[in-house]
Each structure stands twice: as structure tokens, then as C-alpha cells.
Amino acid sequence: MAAAERLVVIGGDAAGMSAASQARRLKGPDELEIVAFERGHFTSYSACGIPYWVGGAVQDRDDLIARTPEEHRARNISLRVRTEVTAIDVAGGRVRSRDLESGAESWTGFDKLVVATGARPVRPALPGIDAPGVHGVQTLDDGQALIDTLERTKGRHAVVVGAGYIGVEMAEALVGRGYEVTVLNRGEQPMSTLDPDMGRLVHDAMNGMGITTVSGAEVTKILTGDDGRVRAVATDGETYPADVVVLGIGVEPETALAREAGLPVGSSGGLVTDLSMRVAGHENIWAGGDCVEVLDLVSGRRRHIALGTHANKHGQVIGSNVGGGYATFPGVVGTAVSKVCDLEIARTGLREKDARAEGLRFVTATIESTSRAGYYPGASPMTVKMTAERRTGRLLGVQIVGREGAGKRVDIAAVALTARMTVEQMTALDLGYAPPFSPVWDPVLVAARKAVTAVRKGGA
Amino acid sequence: MAAAERLVVIGGDAAGMSAASQARRLKGPDELEIVAFERGHFTSYSACGIPYWVGGAVQDRDDLIARTPEEHRARNISLRVRTEVTAIDVAGGRVRSRDLESGAESWTGFDKLVVATGARPVRPALPGIDAPGVHGVQTLDDGQALIDTLERTKGRHAVVVGAGYIGVEMAEALVGRGYEVTVLNRGEQPMSTLDPDMGRLVHDAMNGMGITTVSGAEVTKILTGDDGRVRAVATDGETYPADVVVLGIGVEPETALAREAGLPVGSSGGLVTDLSMRVAGHENIWAGGDCVEVLDLVSGRRRHIALGTHANKHGQVIGSNVGGGYATFPGVVGTAVSKVCDLEIARTGLREKDARAEGLRFVTATIESTSRAGYYPGASPMTVKMTAERRTGRLLGVQIVGREGAGKRVDIAAVALTARMTVEQMTALDLGYAPPFSPVWDPVLVAARKAVTAVRKGGA
């Protein structure tokens, strides 16, 4: 007996397969048939874990896979890997797909559709960008290709282009592989998701670790050898030898398919959904993960943020709604945490330039403290920068650069932003205190106190 | 020229000296004279750090001292150590003090008074309780006395009476000193600040570390040898050999002086203040730190919680108000974090029995997760228990038992409690995610999701 309805999912990673799994929990196979298409070989894997696999901290690729195609199939999800969806026929309620092995194309009808096509790494149109040895690291297939290159070439010099999260994590990974690593960064500082003063701390720390970090470097050309493989990276300044190049410039939502089908794309480049993750104007189409834009609860603006934790939440929400339940994704506050070797980097909320762009006036407070009581072994320095709206004192953002124990403190600010707290309210927060865990005034509280003083004085 | 006003501070640790220091920042010596009395030898020290000093993680006693009497004096605070205040004459606006070295008594007038007399360890009236070798660990003087005993006796067996924060931290300290440690605990489980099911995890972990943890053991007598020193601890069950005994039964507010002066004491045993930390009914008397009760924002009830982080906040608030500014201490949500060896223990909000006592109906959700992505090196297991009000889904409390990286996650819940979030709201929190820091669903989010399901189903 055919199921009453068919759900088609495009994209077999976090958002798509979370949606499929959650829908399956709520509806059995005779109520809902689920067909999922994945272009690559793998499903439900942690793309965020790729740098740690490349670097060797994670030994086995399969450790990154939460659920294999076989495991999904065992849950009555019809999963087609190495099968690319090439068209969405919205009016006809069907998608066209191509088997990447055989080249065969076919149409599959849907009653409900989930678009979870993810993001793709930005590849600037530079001479040599497609040379062997130049790698993106967005998918598990990408990671495998990079590892194959590393193992085959056994080079000495690695260049990472871009110094955002992926860039710094890949720098750590390549250091772990024994490479001499140069990070080329177009902007004023690494980590453009931080304010420049905090990015400067990252810059200095990375150079201190032996990672050559060059800011203000515009890559002009990828130079290749006689064998056609990458040899060096030329910038508007120097040229850097490279046996391997990793692109960590950032990602952009993969929306070509959806655009062609007429689905709405916002100014961020991501698909536009409502709070239930349904594509605006389409009753039976949902979208989630790295291909959509999300509401930034602090600025009220829609942004594109590619992050596994959001993708999983989107999938959960979509699956609940597809399965006849009710759930929403209210938005984000822009939290991110990362590390490069033992340096922890975290941020949430608005940067100064974001606040300025929204017409907000603000004050900032930057403090130095330690992750544990100063006298406790392992207490490590950390810098916390806090931004608050002038007059109202509403928290606008927090950035943290430090060592062990620094990064996850950003969660305090993430919850406070969600609750729209003022920095004055934050000074009274009852945070966990014991000498192995925190100074008697948690660094976030110290920053809040200083921000209160700044708000009282006015300024900015 | 005499100052316009005199502030007298009773108690030279966190609350008292924070108040004095903050008042001094706001008012110079010709506006405000500040006289502070401290019974012991030390000022402004971290009592919470004593276990780590005893255990050897902190080498030097002076590391625990944030500011010495001399440093306070250099800031124009007239500090009298080894001087005990023996009476407060509220009507007369003066305090009587005794120099503990000379025995000399004198009166000192005040315009404003801060009572920061702290807490004292509970010493049950047991035979032998005053024998040499039986130690409390509330003050730096207490800590020094214990270390002197440990160095003199070089024993093998230590018994800790009580298994609250101080008890478990002292157990770790004594293990660090090479002792065979037995923790005797009257209650059903160690850590009565946790629900019994979570306390059981602590019990099992402590026994797994080689700390003999005996629950349901009522101490009946301290046995002494021919030299009068402690030899063993007898319970209603077995008798345990002891070269040293540490009392970790808890503390009670030190309010004898304030009671005699007619200052109001609440049902918790702590002094009653308003939100500005002014003693109820007394225009010019403030109180803070371990001798006061505080408002529990979750239950609405006043409780006594002795914790350095609160004491520092109280002092800050009092000093601001005494100095002519304005600040309040809105209350606590009951956050505490501790560790015993590598086991991290944290809690915030209400226990099941607290919720029941307030007439609240609730659901609970307990989950197991890991501190980092499961595949990331060093990912350690943690258990999170979440309690939410039935029907409304309001978060009521969170308890965490785990290893490295577990404890400080309680801050997420502490902020959410302050903001009176529901567990449904919590499921959407934008917490920091990267594999070295968290699974893609932070353990607190996993608990929130399970709690949402429990709220939907009803129950309890």
C-alpha cells in the first residue's frame, strides 16, 4: 500500500536528515513516505568536525557520521546518495534528480518538500583556483579529498586563505599535520566576526603559536608547477610557497536550485522562511540549515549564518511541523565559538559595526580577567569585551578571547541577549562560583560592571 | 580636620571590605572616615580557596589574600585586626570592641554601620567535638590551624563529617595530602543541595575515587586518645579511625552580636535587609555576606546562602549606597558549583523538595550527554537534570554532575532562571557550538528538549 503522503528532502546532512528523522518519529511509513536525496557519499555528518579529522584529533572519518545512509534506511527513510537534485518543479510538485554514477535522470513527486541544500565555500575567480591541491572543506567528501592530498604530497608549506572560523581551525589542523602554515587574510585582522581590537588579540596569539598570520593580504593568483599542481600563492604583497592551499574564505548559501524554482531568496542570499521554517509563500515547502537566512534577534535583521547547531534545530522544527506537530525557530543572537590550538575565541550579538549599521549608539567595556580564581592552578588569562546600548544599557554583544575555560562563557551572554537584559541586570547574575571554575567575580560580571559605568557616563 | 561622617565596618572579609573599599572609592577621607574591625589576622581573603590551600593546589596562604590590612590602610581605611566587636549600641550609634591581644575594650561611634560578621561552621554538641585535631574550615585562621595539625601529626586517616560543598572539597584536599579519607554523611546521599538521584551519582563517583563515602551515618562521638587528641569518629553504625577530623556540616550565620543589638533576624537565621542591603528598619545600618538572608528569585522565599560571590556583590552594593550612590542586590537563583577531584557538581534553582514545599507541580527530565562532541578527544560524560513547572513549563532548576567542562554550564540555566524562561524557550537558545566545546546539541538543550516533552505530557 502506498503511503498517504510523500515527503522529499533535498540534502542529506544536518538540517535535511534531522527533519526527515523527526518527521519519521511522528508519522509511520504508511502515513508518510520519505525520500531523501544527497549529492555526496555521506549523510548526517558533522561538517564542523572536519578540521579535527584533518588535524588528526579525530582518527576516523566515520566518527563524524552520526547516522549512515543504511541507518536512515533502517528507519524507513528512502535515501539516495550520490544523487543530485537538478530541478524543483514547484507547480508540478516534483523534483528531477540525476544519479551521479549512472547519469540517469528521473522525476519524483512530492506532497511536502524540504530544501536543505547547505552552503558552498566561496571560491574567488582567481587564476589557478581550480588547480589540484586547492581545497575547500565544506563536505566530508571535501575533507577526504584534502586528506588524500596531504597524504600523497607530504609537503611542508600550507597556505590557508581566509582567517574566519574555518580558516583558523584549518590552520590548527595543518599545524597538527606538521605543516608550516601561513594564513592569508584580506581584512585588517583575522576573525572578522570580531571587532578589530579583539581580532588583533587573535592575530598576535596565532603568530605566537608559529602560524604566520598575514592581514591585509589580497590573494591575486594561485601559482602552479609543471605538473599543474599548486606551488605558491601570490598576493598583492609577497608570494608564499604552498604545497597545499585550503580555502577558508567563508561560505555562501547553495540556492541555485531554489532560485531557479522561483523560491524567495533574501538580501543575505539565503532562502526566506517564516518562523516555522516554511518557505515564504509556499504551503508545503520548508527550508533549513546553511541555505536559509535566519532572524537575528538582537538587530532584527535577517542574516545568513552557516552553523551545524542551527541546522539541527531547523531540522527538528521542520520535522515537527511536517509530522503534524508544531514548532518554531525564533532566531539567533549570533553566538559562535572556536579555537585555534589553545586559543579560544567566542562572540555573540552585534559587533561595533553591526550596531552602528542599525543606528544604535553604544558603549564598550573591555576587561582582562582569568578563567579560574587567580591563585588556582591553570587560571588562564582572558579578555572580555562587552557592548551595551547607550542610555538603555541593553546588552548588545560580547566577545571573548582567552585560553582554556574562556570560550563557553559566551553562553552567559547568549542567554542574556535572548532575554534582552541590560548590563546592569547582568551584574547581579548568580553565576557558578568556586575557585577552580571562576574568580569570585566571573569575567563576564566584571565586564558587565565596567559596561554599567560606561553606560552611566554616556559616550560613543 | 575630622571627617564629616564615620563608617564602622564589622568584619574584614569579602562583604565588609568590599563595602569599605567601594565607599572609599566614592568618598574621600575628609568626607568619610572608615573604621573596620576584624577578629582574625587576615582581611579580604578567599575562604572558598581554603580547601585548595590545604590540599596543596595553592602553595601559599598569601595567594588567597586579595588585600592585606596594610593595603587597606594605604587606602585610608583604619583597619583593626585581632579586634572583636563585642556589642552594638544602635541607639547610641557606637560599637564596643576588644583588642584580642591586650584585652582592652573601647567604644567607637558610627554614623553608618556595616554588619558583615560572616558565618560559623556548625559544631554539633557531641562528646569530643572540641578535642585537638577537630577542625572547622571557615576562616583563614581555621585553615592555618588545620594545616598546622596536618603537618604536625602526619597521620594516615582523615574523617570529614558532612558531605556538602565544604565536605567534598575537603575530601579532595585531604586525598591531595595523601590521607585515606572517609566522608560521613548523615543524609541519604552526599550533596544534599542536589536531588537524591543526582547525589547518588556523586556518592558512586567518590567511592570510585577511593574516598570512602558513607551515607546515613549519624556521628555520635569523637573518640580521643590518652593525649586528648582525636583518634576516631563513632557513628550509630561503625567507628572510623581518624588522625584528623574536618567538620563540613555547613555553616550558620554569625548573628549573635546583631541579635543582641535587636537587629532583625529572619526565619533562615540570617539578618533581614531590604534590596539595598540596608537592615530592615534601620536607616544607617547595612548588612551583607554570610550573615544575611537573601531573596531566592525562583521560590520568592528568603534563604541563607553563604557564598563568597554573593558576599562580594553585597559589599559592592552596600559600599555604593553608603558612598552616596545607588545599587541593589535583587536576589539569587541558588547557583553553586563545586568539584571533588575530577568530578564537577553544579546546581541552580529549586530541588524537587523545594518545589514541592512551594506548592509547585513539576516535571523532571534527566539526560546523559558529553561535554564536547562525542568524537572529540576529551569528551567526558555528564548528566543534566532539569525541572520545569507543570503546565507553564517555567524552568525551576538544573543540576549537573559530570567531568571537565560540565560544571560551568549551570550558568546557562542561572541566566534562564533569572529571565524566568520556559524550557520551550530554552530549546531555542543560541549557545556556543564547536566540536571542542559542545555536542551539536548542548547538553543543556538536550535536557530542555526532554523537559518540553515531559511538560507536554503533564505528569507529577
Side-chain angles (χ1 to χ4, degrees), chain B residues 399-415:
Chain B
Q399 296 171 22
I400 299 173
V401 174
R403 307 279 163 163
E404 182 269 322
K408 269 294 255 182
R409 275 186 161 85
V410 78
D411 287 347
I412 299 164
V415 186

Side-chain angles (χ1 to χ4, degrees), chain B residues 93-183:
Chain B
R94 55 183 195 155
V95 300
R96 189 180 63 209
S97 63
R98 182 168 59 228
D99 183 316
L100 294 177
E101 308 294 341
S102 69
E105 296 213 336
S106 61
W107 287 94
T108 307
F110 64 81
D111 299 290
K112 291 173 174 170
L113 177 68
V114 174
V115 180
T117 43
R120 59 163 183 270
V122 173
R123 283 183 92 89
L126 290 172
I129 192 82
D130 293 320
V134 179
H135 290 269
V137 281
Q138 182 65 8
T139 66
L140 216 46
D141 287 292
D142 292 342
Q144 187 65 67
L146 172 59
I147 288 175
D148 292 346
T149 289
L150 295 174
E151 288 180 351
R152 204 171 43 240
T153 62
K154 299 197 191 302
R156 200 157 71 86
H157 296 283
V159 169
V160 177
V161 181
Y165 292 104
I166 299 170
V168 302
E169 288 167 3
M170 287 310 303
E172 171 182 330
L174 292 161
V175 166
R177 283 259 175 183
Y179 279 78
E180 289 181 24
V181 179
T182 300
V183 177

Side-chain angles (χ1 to χ4, degrees), chain A residues 165-346:
Chain A
Y165 292 105
I166 298 171
V168 303
E169 289 166 3
M170 287 310 304
E172 171 182 330
L174 292 162
V175 167
R177 284 260 173 182
Y179 278 78
E180 288 180 25
V181 179
T182 300
V183 177
L184 300 177
N185 169 39
R186 187 183 195 163
E188 193 188 339
Q189 306 293 352
M191 298 306 294
S192 63
T193 53
L194 302 180
D195 288 328
D197 52 345
M198 297 296 280
R200 164 58 58 180
L201 301 179
V202 177
H203 176 99
D204 295 347
M206 286 174 69
N207 279 313
M209 292 165 192
I211 298 169
T212 305
T213 308
V214 186
S215 291
E218 181 81 41
V219 173
T220 54
K221 195 174 179 182
I222 310 285
L223 304 173
T224 52
D226 294 341
D227 57 358
R229 296 191 55 79
V230 64
R231 274 290 172 277
V233 177
T235 70
D236 49 356
E238 289 182 55
T239 294
Y240 300 88
D243 300 301
V244 63
V245 172
V246 174
L247 300 177
I249 307 173
V251 298
E252 51 194 19
E254 181 74 270
T255 56
L257 195 62
R259 279 175 198 264
E260 280 165 31
L263 300 183
V265 170
S267 58
S268 73
L271 289 168
V272 180
T273 73
D274 64 15
L275 292 173
S276 75
M277 302 309 293
R278 203 166 49 184
V279 173
H282 293 269
E283 190 68 24
N284 291 314
I285 305 179
W286 284 261
D290 292 358
C291 66
V292 304
E293 59 178 29
V294 292
L295 177 61
D296 179 326
L297 296 166
V298 185
S299 67
R301 198 167 289 278
R302 290 184 173 269
R303 296 170 54 195
H304 176 247
I305 301 176
L307 201 54
T309 187
H310 300 332
N312 272 279
K313 288 191 183 108
H314 296 167
Q316 183 76 17
V317 166
I318 293 169
S320 296
N321 292 322
V322 166
Y326 172 63
T328 61
F329 181 81
V332 304
V333 292
T335 311
V337 60
S338 186
K339 78 179 193 64
V340 48
C341 302
D342 67 345
L343 189 77
E344 300 188 359
I345 307 160

Side-chain angles (χ1 to χ4, degrees), chain A residues 46 335 375 408 411 430 432 442, chain B residues 46 335 375 408 411 430 432 442:
Chain A
S46 171
T335 311
Y375 55 79
K408 268 295 255 182
D411 287 348
D430 184 3
D442 190 280
Chain B
S46 172
T335 311
Y375 56 78
K408 269 294 255 182
D411 287 347
D430 184 4
D442 190 281

